[in-house]
Amino acid sequence: MAKQKRGRAPKMGTGNSGDISSYEVMGLRIRNEILSPGAQLNSSIRIYKLDSESWDDWDRFVDEIQTNEEVTLSHISPGAVSLSWDDPNS
């Protein structure tokens, strides 16, 4: 039997370079927070901008969430929002 060469796994992400953008990194962090058991139980969560995240990315996130009719966004302070949603199982 011939040995097969082991190739490198392809990089995941968007764009030709395979790099993940700072906005996507922030989005993954926020997604994980939203999917946490506590947030799902309460159908709400407070999200805070991290110091390492850009204000452009944060503003883009807030703008995109505000267009989602299934999510209520309340501004708490600069860099902090409260998200709430209806539980689809109730």
Side-chain angles (χ1 to χ4, degrees):
M1 236 187 214
K3 270 189 163 178
Q4 292 182 343
K5 288 185 180 179
R6 290 188 179 188
R8 295 176 66 192
K11 290 184 179 180
M12 301 303 288
T14 60
N16 293 333
S17 68
D19 293 335
I20 187 167
S21 72
S22 60
Y23 181 76
E24 290 170 312
V25 170
M26 185 183 73
L28 290 172
R29 175 186 68 82
I30 292 170
R31 178 183 179 272
N32 288 337
E33 291 183 30
I34 290 170
L35 293 176
S36 71
Q40 291 299 301
L41 181 65
N42 296 315
S43 298
S44 66
I45 191 164
R46 288 184 177 192
I47 303 288
Y48 300 92
K49 177 193 162 298
L50 300 180
D51 291 340
S52 60
E53 296 168 342
S54 77
W55 281 104
D56 287 341
D57 288 345
W58 178 259
D59 291 339
R60 179 179 166 193
F61 160 72
V62 170
D63 289 344
E64 289 183 6
I65 290 294
Q66 286 177 328
T67 64
N68 187 328
E69 294 178 5
E70 297 176 10
V71 177
T72 301
L73 182 144
S74 302
H75 292 273
I76 299 170
S77 64
V81 294
S82 175
L83 304 179
S84 60
W85 56 91
D86 291 330
D87 182 356
N89 298 320
S90 62

